[in-house]
Amino acid sequence: MKNLLMIFTFLGVLLGSQVAYAEVPPITFLNYTFKFEKTVILPPDKITNAYTTDNNLKNILALSYTPTGIHLRSAFDYHKKLCEKRGILGSAKKSKNKIALSILKPKNGVYNYEILRVENNDIAGSNISFLKLDIAPDKADIKALDQKYFQSFYKAKFPSVFDENGEILPPIYPLSIGEDKFVLKYSATDNQDVSNYYLPRRQNFYNYKSVVRINTRSDINSPDKIAKMIIENKKPVKGFKLIADESSGKDRILSYSNNEIQIKKNKTYISYSIFKITPAKKGVISFEYSIRIPEDEKSSQIIADTEKKYRELLKTYEMPELIKENMGMLPAPLENDYMEQTK
């Protein structure tokens, strides 16, 4: 929950060091015009663009980006309890990709009306939007304030956050395989090992139809051993079918299919994966291209066509450069819509 708590830390350091941009356009929200004040960087990775209507910071609009993401379900429950302790809780709204809560609290003879909105960034990580308004005591009616501001703030489209160099966040890391185009949606480093997950730009980990995973293993030097481990791990899965397992020079090409079930709709999908596993300076790198398709009369032909195309393509495909930073977030087990079934 540290990324949510940082919004309150942000208010305490807003008057500290800054990176200002004279050309940043103001943001209009209902009857307020917020002018850019500064960029605040809170370690380790949270960047906030602060806007205000006045020099005394009575009214603040803070737009933040954190690259490592926030699990919204647990964040909503946690922050709701926190708001109830700090003041009068107003509206609280959540969906799969966005949460928002409002609060009214006394502050130095006036009242602060605040709305916090957290949503998944469409590339990776999370966007946090925070509104603070000074409210006169005779106007301190949480229901009236919510009616005026809450739904509009929940739906508002704000500009993307930019860093200290003026670059829009998050950075875009593209990848192509054949005609398929992907962008990096998740990256994690663990000591010497790296995991990069790429999805089509408009897809996410809840609805993707295709994905590229690139992983390193510094503790295993044999592509053949990795291939055997993958096969053994997948054998218990319902519908598992080994399609290819062959050497290509020093590399290993492996492909298979198995079943997945969409939990809420109880609908079966076929998951097809093809790997290229190649030696690295230390250990191995595995490149996986995977698709998820509905199980119907067309699925077998789709898999056959995909296998034919990508088995030859991967034999000469050069491994992309690894992105060695933490970025994005995989779904929590209880939030994932898809799961593999055992036989």
Side-chain angles (χ1 to χ4, degrees), residues 88-91 104 113 140-149:
I88 302 171
L89 176 67
S91 297
L104 184 68
Y113 173 67
D141 182 340
I142 187 69
K143 291 184 178 180
L145 291 166
D146 277 349
Q147 186 174 7
K148 185 174 183 179
Y149 296 110

Side-chain angles (χ1 to χ4, degrees), residues 30-94:
L30 296 181
N31 54 323
Y32 291 93
T33 298
F34 293 89
K35 296 180 180 179
F36 177 70
E37 178 71 18
K38 62 185 69 175
T39 289
V40 177
I41 303 171
L42 292 176
D45 56 10
K46 185 162 172 287
I47 294 181
T48 297
N49 299 153
Y51 298 76
T52 182
T53 61
D54 57 276
N55 293 330
N56 294 323
L57 304 177
K58 291 182 178 180
N59 304 312
I60 295 172
L61 175 64
L63 306 179
S64 304
Y65 173 73
T66 178
T68 50
I70 297 169
H71 284 299
L72 297 183
R73 180 183 296 179
S74 55
F76 181 84
D77 295 337
Y78 176 86
H79 202 75
K80 187 177 179 180
K81 292 179 181 178
L82 186 63
C83 285
E84 290 171 342
K85 293 179 180 179
R86 295 178 62 243
I88 302 171
L89 176 67
S91 297
K93 187 173 182 178
K94 64 179 176 179

Side-chain angles (χ1 to χ4, degrees), residues 271-301:
S271 175
Y272 163 84
S273 292
I274 184 166
F275 289 79
K276 178 176 183 175
I277 309 165
T278 189
K281 290 182 179 179
K282 185 175 183 180
V284 297
I285 301 175
S286 64
F287 181 102
E288 177 190 6
Y289 172 77
S290 179
I291 61 172
R292 175 190 285 151
I293 55 176
E295 185 180 35
D296 56 28
E297 67 278 2
K298 298 179 182 179
S299 55
S300 295
Q301 189 60 51

Side-chain angles (χ1 to χ4, degrees), residues 227-228 231 242-247 252-255 311:
K228 290 178 181 178
I231 293 170
L242 182 63
I243 300 172
D245 182 16
E246 63 181 17
S247 296
R252 196 81 182 175
I253 303 295
L254 169 70
S255 62
R311 197 194 302 188

